[in-house]
Amino acid sequence: MDAVLTSSQLQKLRRSLLSWYAQQGRNLPWRNTRDPYQIWVSEIMLQQTQVKTVIPYYQRWLAQFPTVADLAQADQQQVLKAWEGLGYYARGRNLHKAAQKVVKDYNGQIPDNLAAILTLPGIGRTTAGGILSAAFNQPVSILDGNVKRVLARIVALPTPPNKALTQLWQISDTLIDPEHPRDFNQAIMDLGATLCTPKNPSCLLCPWRNFCQAYQQNRQTQIPMKEASNPIPHKKIGVAVIRDENGKMLIDRRLEEGLLGGLWEFPGGKIEPGETIQDCIKREIKEEIGIDIAVEDHLITIDHAYTHLKITLNVYFCRHLAGEPQTIECQEIRWVTLDEIDKFPFPKANTRIIEALREQAVG
Ligand code: SF4
């Protein structure tokens, strides 16, 4: 980019973007603050989640955990409950761990330098740039999904963006306005989110159309080039709603690792080739919790899609026959009533099981 743009072009590029942003920039709740904790929370929530979904979570989060110290003191279950429904729960777990580190190692002050902030769990280079520029107005560049798309189009990148990250970081470093880094980073994100959209970009309204090589070549809908994608795997899962003689149901808390680590669930597991759903459920419950059950009526079948995985949950009522439940492949086990269940954080697909149970109880 340095080689392509003269310094006066660079100035024009920055100025045109900033003046567009001054008129068209989005008014988002985390832009009305310089508090690094609040900005950090927004940055983590915005990874992999859209703005309109994030806003109510962000507001509730700050009401519940107004400071980094409040978050550090919270119980992990409260944190996961507040994150419930946002997905990618490692983000919530890491935010909690990082808050504890900030309190312990940095006297409750979020570090204002790149090397230190990168040591906090869950903070990578783009998130660090987002926090340091928005909270401290430091010229640290970013490269989130929106920015990658804009930059790929500006230079008519001949490869998928993820194959050219070093180059894209260099461009982002070159472009950032050292005098207005906060506004510049927010402006380029807004450009990607509102005009330079994945489909049908609004090039005629774009402040960068005179510099944009994709637009000049009329290839803005072909760039960024797509990665060759592998088919998304589909997992079929047998799930047990195990009831005892008092009508209480067994739930377990998943191990810490993995996508949904630390959340509660109805136990179960993957159906092996050639296995019936009923046999799968009996086997999984024996392996996971060490008890014998009878598999009874079907409750519900739920299809759920993650970005990298599709799952189908085949949910059956089950009766506890013998054995004391043990935490063999989980952290904790509880017997709960339908009224008590809302206290526990569940993944989204499991909350649909709870809805089905409520509908049955009413019916
Ligand atoms: S001209 Fe079009 S493709 Fe180029 S940056 Fe602007 S909106 Fe994106």
Side-chain angles (χ1 to χ4, degrees):
M1 196 85 188
D2 278 321
V4 190
L5 287 176
T6 63
S7 104
S8 105
Q9 282 172 320
L10 199 50
Q11 286 301 334
K12 272 194 202 148
L13 229 142
R14 290 172 181 154
R15 266 193 224 125
S16 61
L17 182 67
L18 288 173
S19 93
W20 170 81
Y21 176 67
Q23 292 163 26
Q24 306 290 338
R26 294 174 295 175
N27 180 17
L28 302 171
W30 41 89
R31 292 199 178 154
N32 302 321
T33 179
R34 298 286 183 264
D35 178 336
Y37 166 67
Q38 296 185 6
I39 289 165
W40 171 31
V41 170
S42 75
E43 287 285 336
I44 301 294
M45 288 186 172
L46 287 164
Q47 295 166 353
Q48 293 134 328
T49 308
Q50 291 187 339
V51 165
K52 69 175 187 309
T53 308
V54 164
I55 289 174
Y57 275 93
Y58 171 78
Q59 288 164 335
R60 281 197 300 270
W61 185 278
L62 293 183
Q64 191 175 354
F65 311 113
T67 66
V68 70
D70 295 314
L71 177 59
Q73 279 164 17
D75 180 78
Q76 192 204 51
Q77 290 295 288
Q78 282 176 284
V79 172
L80 290 175
K81 187 72 196 166
W83 201 271
E84 189 181 66
L86 261 185
Y88 298 96
Y89 291 85
R91 295 182 296 172
R93 293 196 304 272
N94 281 334
L95 192 53
H96 185 219
K97 278 190 219 145
Q100 291 171 334
K101 189 169 161 70
V102 166
V103 167
K104 186 166 149 277
D105 297 348
Y106 296 98
N107 201 22
Q109 303 297 313
I110 290 159
D112 63 358
N113 75 78
L114 187 59
I117 206 164
L118 281 172
T119 66
L120 298 177
I123 298 192
R125 195 166 157 192
T126 275
T127 305
I131 299 168
L132 294 175
S133 62
F136 304 109
N137 207 21
Q138 290 184 16
V140 186
S141 63
I142 56 172
L143 191 64
D144 71 352
N146 281 325
V147 177
K148 278 182 201 168
R149 183 171 58 258
V150 173
L151 299 184
R153 285 174 171 162
I154 290 291
V155 299
L157 191 72
T159 60
N162 286 341
K163 298 240 161 28
L165 289 178
T166 308
Q167 185 188 353
L168 292 176
W169 273 112
Q170 276 167 359
I171 298 170
S172 193
D173 285 344
T174 304
L175 288 180
I176 191 169
D177 187 332
E179 285 167 28
H180 307 283
R182 173 189 293 128
D183 286 350
F184 183 89
N185 276 350
Q186 293 179 355
I188 193 168
M189 278 191 284
D190 278 13
L191 185 72
T194 63
L195 295 185
C196 196
T197 48
K199 288 184 191 149
N200 304 321
S202 306
C203 301
L204 293 177
L205 302 174
C206 178
W208 277 1
R209 67 184 178 282
N210 292 336
F211 305 96
C212 176
Q213 294 181 35
Y215 176 68
Q216 306 293 332
Q217 299 166 16
N218 198 20
R219 292 173 60 222
Q220 61 273 36
T221 53
Q222 292 145 34
I223 297 173
M225 314 250 308
K226 297 213 170 23
E227 306 265 356
S229 59
N230 295 324
I232 295 179
H234 184 180
K235 257 198 204 175
K236 296 183 179 136
I237 295 171
V239 178
V241 176
I242 306 167
R243 295 187 287 193
D244 69 5
E245 60 282 4
N246 303 316
K248 288 196 170 189
M249 292 167 295
L250 186 149
I251 57 173
D252 71 75
R253 187 147 76 93
R254 295 174 67 102
L255 299 173
E256 277 305 304
E257 306 81 50
L259 190 67
L260 306 171
L263 294 176
W264 291 81
E265 65 175 7
F266 292 95
K270 189 169 160 237
I271 302 169
E272 298 294 348
E275 195 175 40
T276 65
I277 299 172
Q278 284 80 355
D279 285 347
C280 156
I281 293 176
K282 276 190 224 165
R283 176 185 53 73
E284 284 285 346
I285 298 308
K286 189 77 178 170
E287 288 170 7
E288 201 174 317
I289 305 178
I291 61 172
D292 295 315
I293 55 166
V295 180
E296 301 184 325
D297 294 340
H298 174 250
L299 170 64
I300 188 172
T301 299
I302 296 166
D303 289 312
H304 188 76
Y306 298 97
T307 40
H308 60 293
L309 174 72
K310 284 187 195 156
I311 57 168
T312 300
L313 302 182
N314 301 279
V315 188
Y316 281 73
F317 283 117
C318 300
R319 193 160 35 89
H320 180 204
L321 295 178
E324 193 55 36
Q326 302 158 49
T327 51
I328 303 170
E329 288 180 14
C330 58
Q331 297 195 57
E332 227 180 313
I333 290 170
R334 296 272 176 92
W335 289 96
V336 294
T337 65
L338 207 44
D339 288 337
E340 291 163 337
I341 215 161
D342 283 340
K343 288 193 301 220
F344 300 89
F346 281 87
K348 210 173 206 162
N350 269 240
T351 60
R352 290 172 60 195
I353 303 176
I354 297 169
E355 282 164 23
L357 286 165
R358 289 226 158 88
E359 280 165 23
Q360 259 226 351
V362 173

